[in-house]
Amino acid sequence: MTLSNRLWRSLFALSGMAAMASATHIRLASWNLRFDSMPNNITVQQTLATLSDPLQQPAFLNLTGEQPWSTRRIKVAQRLLSENIVLAGFQEALVRQVDDMAELLGTDWSWVGVGRDDGVAAGEFSPIFYNKPVFELINNDTFWLSNTPFVPGSKFPGAGSVRIATATHFRVKATGKNFTYINTHLDDQSDDQRRLGASLILWRAHFEASQNHGHSTVLITGDFNSASTGDDSGAYQIITGELPPVAINSTFMERFPIPNGTLPGFKALDLRTQVPRFAVSGNFASFTGFNAPDDTSQYQAGGFTPSHHVNGTAIKVETSLTDDGVIASDHRPVFGDISL
Ligand SMILES: *[C@@H]1O[C@H](CO)[C@@H](O)[C@H](O)[C@H]1NC(C)=O
Ligand SMILES: *[C@@H]1O[C@H](CO)[C@@H](O)[C@H](O)[C@H]1NC(C)=O
Ligand SMILES: *[C@@H]1O[C@H](CO)[C@@H](O)[C@H](O)[C@H]1NC(C)=O
Ligand SMILES: *[C@@H]1O[C@H](CO)[C@@H](O)[C@H](O)[C@H]1NC(C)=O
Ligand SMILES: *[C@@H]1O[C@H](CO)[C@@H](O)[C@H](O)[C@H]1NC(C)=O
Ligand SMILES: *[C@@H]1O[C@H](CO)[C@@H](O)[C@H](O)[C@H]1NC(C)=O
Ligand SMILES: *[C@@H]1O[C@H](CO)[C@@H](O)[C@H](O)[C@H]1NC(C)=O
């Protein structure tokens, strides 16, 4: 399969309730880490011990192509920590990558998520990492983006892979404000799967936003494998309300009941289209592959913000490339600045 113009990653947010007097300004990240396709047994501590002299100039773009995760993980963690993010949704992370990120981000951080293949640790996670001094995790769950959302490992017919969404409820410690955060990775092969996934996530988001007990703000991030226009844009168009959702599992609808069972006017807004144009910075493409320099792709980046009361202030797509030629991932990190 050719990777066509349909790879973008996004930050969505939704809201249904008036904001509290004080807001917490945060930066969150969404990053497809590229699964560890070149596994080795090098520990994080061993990699850290081999970092070069900081005053030594690296051979410029000396390395090309995909490097082992054991090398890439350092660049990923450095980027996230230096951006002062406090919340992050990853995609494609195998359990050893989740463990490595936990080790590198350090003891202020924790995470939730499960492997999509068995609901435990097999296959890729769409984990959510959070900074513990800023957030308290209230609860979390995973649903499968299939016709049987509560069956671990279930796959939509025709999809390339099993697909999941990780859902969380957090409390901002400083203000007591609660919010919902959902992170996902939609299918790379089936637009029907992406449409179903977007419809399930939008339904769940509407349910959360309709709760009047503090869970009314919803953030969504993901690798949607969907551009904003064109043949592969079904997921984008459904989640932003341009197309109606497709039919979803009725057990799911009953577990997350929405008033009147409909989605009138409820949608996610793309942070990329909601903040002032000057505040949309960095790159356009969020997927580049492992070609250096990593600016050769035309793939579109997305980002999402609330309909009300979750104010986005900025979004940027940063590079994954450093001078030595290491590309931290075949995707670029997306950073969103919002008020909660
Ligand atoms: C990693 O270590 C295990 C256990 O010693 C071994 O079976 C495996 O071959 C090693 N993998 C690599 C890539 O070195
Ligand atoms: C360039 O990369 C090769 C591995 O591809 C490595 O052996 C060599 O030390 C690097 N050179 C410099 C100057 O970093
Ligand atoms: C996440 O949810 C699972 C399933 O309910 C639960 O077993 C686990 O303890 C939760 N994790 C955290 C950190 O709360
Ligand atoms: C909906 O999903 C549940 C499990 O998540 C399954 O038991 C049920 O059969 C599904 N309903 C339909 C109509 O497929
Ligand atoms: C946040 O959620 C918790 C647990 O559901 C609840 O006890 C608390 O009242 C909520 N806080 C706010 C500000 O809604
Ligand atoms: C549900 O439908 C009824 C009857 O049309 C309407 O009066 C009510 O406002 C609706 N409730 C919501 C939450 O949309
Ligand atoms: C969002 O912006 C509006 C208008 O400036 C303001 O009234 C509201 O308090 C802000 N909400 C948050 C959560 O920052």
Side-chain angles (χ1 to χ4, degrees), residues 14 19 36 47 50 52 70 86 106 134 138 151-152 167 182 185 197 199 203 225 234 260 264 277 281 293 295 330 332:
L14 304 156
D36 179 5
T47 310
T50 63
S52 63
S70 57
V86 289
V134 178
I138 299 170
V151 177
I182 300 170
H185 186 183
S199 301
W203 183 278
N225 273 312
N260 289 356
R277 178 62 189 86
S281 67
D295 60 357
D330 60 349
R332 288 164 164 164

PDB file of all heavy atoms in Angstrom, residues 14 19 36 47 50 52 70 86 106 134 138 151-152 167 182 185 197 199 203 225 234 260 264 277 281 293 295 330 332:
ATOM      1  N   LEU A  14     -13.610  19.409  23.001  1.00  0.00           N
ATOM      2  CA  LEU A  14     -15.037  19.699  22.977  1.00  0.00           C
ATOM      3  C   LEU A  14     -15.423  20.175  24.362  1.00  0.00           C
ATOM      4  O   LEU A  14     -14.767  19.887  25.328  1.00  0.00           O
ATOM      5  CB  LEU A  14     -15.837  18.431  22.704  1.00  0.00           C
ATOM      6  CG  LEU A  14     -15.498  17.658  21.455  1.00  0.00           C
ATOM      7  CD1 LEU A  14     -15.923  16.227  21.625  1.00  0.00           C
ATOM      8  CD2 LEU A  14     -16.217  18.275  20.306  1.00  0.00           C
ATOM      9  N   ALA A  19     -17.027  27.570  31.727  1.00  0.00           N
ATOM     10  CA  ALA A  19     -15.706  27.436  32.319  1.00  0.00           C
ATOM     11  C   ALA A  19     -15.698  27.953  33.751  1.00  0.00           C
ATOM     12  O   ALA A  19     -16.471  28.831  34.112  1.00  0.00           O
ATOM     13  CB  ALA A  19     -14.691  28.225  31.488  1.00  0.00           C
ATOM     14  N   ASP A  36       8.268  -0.281  17.511  1.00  0.00           N
ATOM     15  CA  ASP A  36       9.669  -0.705  17.586  1.00  0.00           C
ATOM     16  C   ASP A  36       9.885  -1.874  16.637  1.00  0.00           C
ATOM     17  O   ASP A  36       9.713  -3.031  17.009  1.00  0.00           O
ATOM     18  CB  ASP A  36       9.998  -1.092  19.031  1.00  0.00           C
ATOM     19  CG  ASP A  36      11.430  -1.572  19.191  1.00  0.00           C
ATOM     20  OD1 ASP A  36      12.191  -1.523  18.198  1.00  0.00           O
ATOM     21  OD2 ASP A  36      11.788  -1.976  20.307  1.00  0.00           O
ATOM     22  N   THR A  47      21.753   3.268  26.909  1.00  0.00           N
ATOM     23  CA  THR A  47      21.716   4.307  25.873  1.00  0.00           C
ATOM     24  C   THR A  47      22.144   5.651  26.446  1.00  0.00           C
ATOM     25  O   THR A  47      22.924   6.382  25.827  1.00  0.00           O
ATOM     26  CB  THR A  47      20.303   4.429  25.261  1.00  0.00           C
ATOM     27  OG1 THR A  47      19.828   3.148  24.888  1.00  0.00           O
ATOM     28  CG2 THR A  47      20.329   5.327  24.041  1.00  0.00           C
ATOM     29  N   THR A  50      25.793   6.239  26.619  1.00  0.00           N
ATOM     30  CA  THR A  50      26.571   6.400  25.379  1.00  0.00           C
ATOM     31  C   THR A  50      26.320   7.736  24.682  1.00  0.00           C
ATOM     32  O   THR A  50      26.824   7.955  23.572  1.00  0.00           O
ATOM     33  CB  THR A  50      26.234   5.272  24.377  1.00  0.00           C
ATOM     34  OG1 THR A  50      24.852   5.379  24.029  1.00  0.00           O
ATOM     35  CG2 THR A  50      26.523   3.901  24.967  1.00  0.00           C
ATOM     36  N   SER A  52      26.751  11.348  23.392  1.00  0.00           N
ATOM     37  CA  SER A  52      28.048  11.951  23.060  1.00  0.00           C
ATOM     38  C   SER A  52      28.313  13.183  23.920  1.00  0.00           C
ATOM     39  O   SER A  52      27.410  13.753  24.525  1.00  0.00           O
ATOM     40  CB  SER A  52      28.069  12.318  21.575  1.00  0.00           C
ATOM     41  OG  SER A  52      27.076  13.288  21.326  1.00  0.00           O
ATOM     42  N   SER A  70      15.750   2.093  20.491  1.00  0.00           N
ATOM     43  CA  SER A  70      16.658   2.367  21.615  1.00  0.00           C
ATOM     44  C   SER A  70      17.382   3.695  21.421  1.00  0.00           C
ATOM     45  O   SER A  70      17.741   4.359  22.402  1.00  0.00           O
ATOM     46  CB  SER A  70      17.657   1.217  21.794  1.00  0.00           C
ATOM     47  OG  SER A  70      18.381   0.999  20.603  1.00  0.00           O
ATOM     48  N   VAL A  86       2.419  18.451  29.612  1.00  0.00           N
ATOM     49  CA  VAL A  86       1.937  17.818  30.847  1.00  0.00           C
ATOM     50  C   VAL A  86       0.966  16.677  30.559  1.00  0.00           C
ATOM     51  O   VAL A  86       0.524  15.993  31.481  1.00  0.00           O
ATOM     52  CB  VAL A  86       1.274  18.844  31.795  1.00  0.00           C
ATOM     53  CG1 VAL A  86       2.329  19.777  32.395  1.00  0.00           C
ATOM     54  CG2 VAL A  86       0.177  19.635  31.091  1.00  0.00           C
ATOM     55  N   GLY A 106      10.106   9.984  33.736  1.00  0.00           N
ATOM     56  CA  GLY A 106      10.459  10.114  35.145  1.00  0.00           C
ATOM     57  C   GLY A 106       9.292   9.968  36.101  1.00  0.00           C
ATOM     58  O   GLY A 106       8.143   9.752  35.698  1.00  0.00           O
ATOM     59  N   VAL A 134       0.249  17.827  38.144  1.00  0.00           N
ATOM     60  CA  VAL A 134      -0.790  18.669  37.523  1.00  0.00           C
ATOM     61  C   VAL A 134      -2.148  17.974  37.538  1.00  0.00           C
ATOM     62  O   VAL A 134      -3.177  18.611  37.796  1.00  0.00           O
ATOM     63  CB  VAL A 134      -0.395  19.029  36.073  1.00  0.00           C
ATOM     64  CG1 VAL A 134      -1.496  19.859  35.400  1.00  0.00           C
ATOM     65  CG2 VAL A 134       0.926  19.780  36.060  1.00  0.00           C
ATOM     66  N   ILE A 138      -8.811  10.029  37.442  1.00  0.00           N
ATOM     67  CA  ILE A 138     -10.006   9.539  38.154  1.00  0.00           C
ATOM     68  C   ILE A 138     -10.302   8.107  37.711  1.00  0.00           C
ATOM     69  O   ILE A 138     -10.476   7.221  38.538  1.00  0.00           O
ATOM     70  CB  ILE A 138     -11.212  10.468  37.885  1.00  0.00           C
ATOM     71  CG1 ILE A 138     -10.898  11.877  38.408  1.00  0.00           C
ATOM     72  CG2 ILE A 138     -12.475   9.905  38.552  1.00  0.00           C
ATOM     73  CD1 ILE A 138     -11.911  12.934  37.977  1.00  0.00           C
ATOM     74  N   VAL A 151     -15.402  -5.925  23.181  1.00  0.00           N
ATOM     75  CA  VAL A 151     -14.706  -7.213  23.032  1.00  0.00           C
ATOM     76  C   VAL A 151     -13.232  -6.938  22.715  1.00  0.00           C
ATOM     77  O   VAL A 151     -12.899  -6.501  21.598  1.00  0.00           O
ATOM     78  CB  VAL A 151     -15.346  -8.070  21.924  1.00  0.00           C
ATOM     79  CG1 VAL A 151     -14.554  -9.364  21.731  1.00  0.00           C
ATOM     80  CG2 VAL A 151     -16.804  -8.371  22.254  1.00  0.00           C
ATOM     81  N   PRO A 152     -12.330  -7.173  23.703  1.00  0.00           N
ATOM     82  CA  PRO A 152     -10.909  -6.923  23.452  1.00  0.00           C
ATOM     83  C   PRO A 152     -10.416  -7.680  22.223  1.00  0.00           C
ATOM     84  O   PRO A 152     -10.749  -8.851  22.023  1.00  0.00           O
ATOM     85  CB  PRO A 152     -10.232  -7.442  24.724  1.00  0.00           C
ATOM     86  CG  PRO A 152     -11.280  -7.280  25.787  1.00  0.00           C
ATOM     87  CD  PRO A 152     -12.584  -7.585  25.087  1.00  0.00           C
ATOM     88  N   ALA A 167      -9.803   6.068  26.877  1.00  0.00           N
ATOM     89  CA  ALA A 167     -10.582   7.169  27.453  1.00  0.00           C
ATOM     90  C   ALA A 167     -10.211   7.357  28.921  1.00  0.00           C
ATOM     91  O   ALA A 167     -10.028   6.382  29.655  1.00  0.00           O
ATOM     92  CB  ALA A 167     -12.079   6.876  27.322  1.00  0.00           C
ATOM     93  N   ILE A 182      -9.560  11.562  25.371  1.00  0.00           N
ATOM     94  CA  ILE A 182      -9.614  10.339  24.569  1.00  0.00           C
ATOM     95  C   ILE A 182      -8.484  10.383  23.544  1.00  0.00           C
ATOM     96  O   ILE A 182      -8.303  11.401  22.850  1.00  0.00           O
ATOM     97  CB  ILE A 182     -10.977  10.221  23.838  1.00  0.00           C
ATOM     98  CG1 ILE A 182     -12.130  10.182  24.850  1.00  0.00           C
ATOM     99  CG2 ILE A 182     -10.999   8.977  22.945  1.00  0.00           C
ATOM    100  CD1 ILE A 182     -13.520  10.299  24.218  1.00  0.00           C
ATOM    101  N   HIS A 185      -5.997   5.831  17.499  1.00  0.00           N
ATOM    102  CA  HIS A 185      -5.261   5.635  16.242  1.00  0.00           C
ATOM    103  C   HIS A 185      -6.192   4.881  15.306  1.00  0.00           C
ATOM    104  O   HIS A 185      -6.405   3.683  15.468  1.00  0.00           O
ATOM    105  CB  HIS A 185      -3.982   4.832  16.506  1.00  0.00           C
ATOM    106  CG  HIS A 185      -3.098   4.700  15.289  1.00  0.00           C
ATOM    107  ND1 HIS A 185      -1.936   3.970  15.308  1.00  0.00           N
ATOM    108  CD2 HIS A 185      -3.208   5.208  14.037  1.00  0.00           C
ATOM    109  CE1 HIS A 185      -1.368   4.024  14.102  1.00  0.00           C
ATOM    110  NE2 HIS A 185      -2.123   4.768  13.315  1.00  0.00           N
ATOM    111  N   GLY A 197     -14.875   4.487  13.661  1.00  0.00           N
ATOM    112  CA  GLY A 197     -14.107   4.923  14.824  1.00  0.00           C
ATOM    113  C   GLY A 197     -14.449   6.355  15.221  1.00  0.00           C
ATOM    114  O   GLY A 197     -14.665   6.665  16.404  1.00  0.00           O
ATOM    115  N   SER A 199     -17.181   7.898  14.605  1.00  0.00           N
ATOM    116  CA  SER A 199     -18.570   7.955  15.078  1.00  0.00           C
ATOM    117  C   SER A 199     -18.669   7.471  16.523  1.00  0.00           C
ATOM    118  O   SER A 199     -19.399   8.050  17.341  1.00  0.00           O
ATOM    119  CB  SER A 199     -19.464   7.114  14.169  1.00  0.00           C
ATOM    120  OG  SER A 199     -19.401   7.589  12.834  1.00  0.00           O
ATOM    121  N   TRP A 203     -19.649   9.914  19.615  1.00  0.00           N
ATOM    122  CA  TRP A 203     -20.752   9.549  20.515  1.00  0.00           C
ATOM    123  C   TRP A 203     -20.287   9.587  21.976  1.00  0.00           C
ATOM    124  O   TRP A 203     -20.938  10.171  22.840  1.00  0.00           O
ATOM    125  CB  TRP A 203     -21.288   8.154  20.170  1.00  0.00           C
ATOM    126  CG  TRP A 203     -22.446   7.759  21.010  1.00  0.00           C
ATOM    127  CD1 TRP A 203     -22.403   7.239  22.279  1.00  0.00           C
ATOM    128  CD2 TRP A 203     -23.838   7.907  20.694  1.00  0.00           C
ATOM    129  NE1 TRP A 203     -23.661   7.036  22.764  1.00  0.00           N
ATOM    130  CE2 TRP A 203     -24.570   7.444  21.800  1.00  0.00           C
ATOM    131  CE3 TRP A 203     -24.530   8.384  19.571  1.00  0.00           C
ATOM    132  CZ2 TRP A 203     -25.963   7.437  21.827  1.00  0.00           C
ATOM    133  CZ3 TRP A 203     -25.924   8.376  19.608  1.00  0.00           C
ATOM    134  CH2 TRP A 203     -26.610   7.909  20.718  1.00  0.00           C
ATOM    135  N   ASN A 225      -5.313   8.996  10.494  1.00  0.00           N
ATOM    136  CA  ASN A 225      -5.099   8.494   9.132  1.00  0.00           C
ATOM    137  C   ASN A 225      -6.126   9.077   8.169  1.00  0.00           C
ATOM    138  O   ASN A 225      -6.604   8.399   7.263  1.00  0.00           O
ATOM    139  CB  ASN A 225      -5.149   6.963   9.105  1.00  0.00           C
ATOM    140  CG  ASN A 225      -3.790   6.342   9.393  1.00  0.00           C
ATOM    141  OD1 ASN A 225      -2.795   6.733   8.811  1.00  0.00           O
ATOM    142  ND2 ASN A 225      -3.754   5.390  10.295  1.00  0.00           N
ATOM    143  N   GLY A 234     -13.161  10.761   5.637  1.00  0.00           N
ATOM    144  CA  GLY A 234     -14.406  10.444   6.334  1.00  0.00           C
ATOM    145  C   GLY A 234     -14.350  10.701   7.831  1.00  0.00           C
ATOM    146  O   GLY A 234     -15.265  11.296   8.408  1.00  0.00           O
ATOM    147  N   ASN A 260     -31.907  12.116  24.309  1.00  0.00           N
ATOM    148  CA  ASN A 260     -32.698  11.962  23.080  1.00  0.00           C
ATOM    149  C   ASN A 260     -32.032  11.066  22.040  1.00  0.00           C
ATOM    150  O   ASN A 260     -32.528  10.932  20.939  1.00  0.00           O
ATOM    151  CB  ASN A 260     -33.035  13.319  22.442  1.00  0.00           C
ATOM    152  CG  ASN A 260     -34.056  14.070  23.275  1.00  0.00           C
ATOM    153  OD1 ASN A 260     -34.560  13.552  24.262  1.00  0.00           O
ATOM    154  ND2 ASN A 260     -34.359  15.279  22.866  1.00  0.00           N
ATOM    155  N   PRO A 264     -27.428  16.190  17.796  1.00  0.00           N
ATOM    156  CA  PRO A 264     -27.699  17.445  17.092  1.00  0.00           C
ATOM    157  C   PRO A 264     -26.634  18.493  17.382  1.00  0.00           C
ATOM    158  O   PRO A 264     -26.422  18.872  18.521  1.00  0.00           O
ATOM    159  CB  PRO A 264     -29.062  17.874  17.641  1.00  0.00           C
ATOM    160  CG  PRO A 264     -29.150  17.214  18.973  1.00  0.00           C
ATOM    161  CD  PRO A 264     -28.398  15.931  18.851  1.00  0.00           C
ATOM    162  N   ARG A 277      -4.538  32.432  13.030  1.00  0.00           N
ATOM    163  CA  ARG A 277      -3.654  31.833  12.017  1.00  0.00           C
ATOM    164  C   ARG A 277      -2.186  31.909  12.408  1.00  0.00           C
ATOM    165  O   ARG A 277      -1.415  30.970  12.183  1.00  0.00           O
ATOM    166  CB  ARG A 277      -3.886  32.530  10.661  1.00  0.00           C
ATOM    167  CG  ARG A 277      -2.997  32.018   9.544  1.00  0.00           C
ATOM    168  CD  ARG A 277      -3.250  30.538   9.247  1.00  0.00           C
ATOM    169  NE  ARG A 277      -2.259  29.966   8.314  1.00  0.00           N
ATOM    170  CZ  ARG A 277      -1.094  29.469   8.653  1.00  0.00           C
ATOM    171  NH1 ARG A 277      -0.698  29.483   9.932  1.00  0.00           N
ATOM    172  NH2 ARG A 277      -0.274  28.975   7.745  1.00  0.00           N
ATOM    173  N   SER A 281       1.726  27.030  13.892  1.00  0.00           N
ATOM    174  CA  SER A 281       3.123  27.177  13.498  1.00  0.00           C
ATOM    175  C   SER A 281       3.774  25.829  13.238  1.00  0.00           C
ATOM    176  O   SER A 281       3.162  24.779  13.394  1.00  0.00           O
ATOM    177  CB  SER A 281       3.888  27.953  14.575  1.00  0.00           C
ATOM    178  OG  SER A 281       3.962  27.206  15.761  1.00  0.00           O
ATOM    179  N   PRO A 293      16.300  15.124   4.807  1.00  0.00           N
ATOM    180  CA  PRO A 293      15.619  15.763   5.916  1.00  0.00           C
ATOM    181  C   PRO A 293      14.125  15.451   5.900  1.00  0.00           C
ATOM    182  O   PRO A 293      13.586  15.085   4.868  1.00  0.00           O
ATOM    183  CB  PRO A 293      15.863  17.255   5.669  1.00  0.00           C
ATOM    184  CG  PRO A 293      16.049  17.364   4.202  1.00  0.00           C
ATOM    185  CD  PRO A 293      16.719  16.090   3.785  1.00  0.00           C
ATOM    186  N   ASP A 295      11.333  16.808   5.765  1.00  0.00           N
ATOM    187  CA  ASP A 295      10.345  17.812   5.379  1.00  0.00           C
ATOM    188  C   ASP A 295       9.822  17.557   3.967  1.00  0.00           C
ATOM    189  O   ASP A 295       9.389  18.463   3.282  1.00  0.00           O
ATOM    190  CB  ASP A 295      10.942  19.209   5.461  1.00  0.00           C
ATOM    191  CG  ASP A 295      12.147  19.354   4.538  1.00  0.00           C
ATOM    192  OD1 ASP A 295      12.534  18.368   3.896  1.00  0.00           O
ATOM    193  OD2 ASP A 295      12.688  20.463   4.491  1.00  0.00           O
ATOM    194  N   ASP A 330       8.726   8.287  12.517  1.00  0.00           N
ATOM    195  CA  ASP A 330       8.308   8.590  11.137  1.00  0.00           C
ATOM    196  C   ASP A 330       7.163   9.599  11.114  1.00  0.00           C
ATOM    197  O   ASP A 330       6.756  10.056  10.052  1.00  0.00           O
ATOM    198  CB  ASP A 330       7.945   7.309  10.376  1.00  0.00           C
ATOM    199  CG  ASP A 330       6.816   6.531  11.013  1.00  0.00           C
ATOM    200  OD1 ASP A 330       6.423   6.846  12.161  1.00  0.00           O
ATOM    201  OD2 ASP A 330       6.317   5.588  10.375  1.00  0.00           O
ATOM    202  N   ARG A 332       5.736  13.307  13.083  1.00  0.00           N
ATOM    203  CA  ARG A 332       6.182  14.463  13.858  1.00  0.00           C
ATOM    204  C   ARG A 332       5.267  14.657  15.057  1.00  0.00           C
ATOM    205  O   ARG A 332       4.080  14.313  14.997  1.00  0.00           O
ATOM    206  CB  ARG A 332       6.126  15.718  12.987  1.00  0.00           C
ATOM    207  CG  ARG A 332       7.200  15.757  11.914  1.00  0.00           C
ATOM    208  CD  ARG A 332       6.867  16.790  10.877  1.00  0.00           C
ATOM    209  NE  ARG A 332       8.026  17.118  10.039  1.00  0.00           N
ATOM    210  CZ  ARG A 332       7.941  17.752   8.895  1.00  0.00           C
ATOM    211  NH1 ARG A 332       6.758  18.132   8.427  1.00  0.00           N
ATOM    212  NH2 ARG A 332       9.020  18.031   8.202  1.00  0.00           N
TER     213      ARG A 332
END
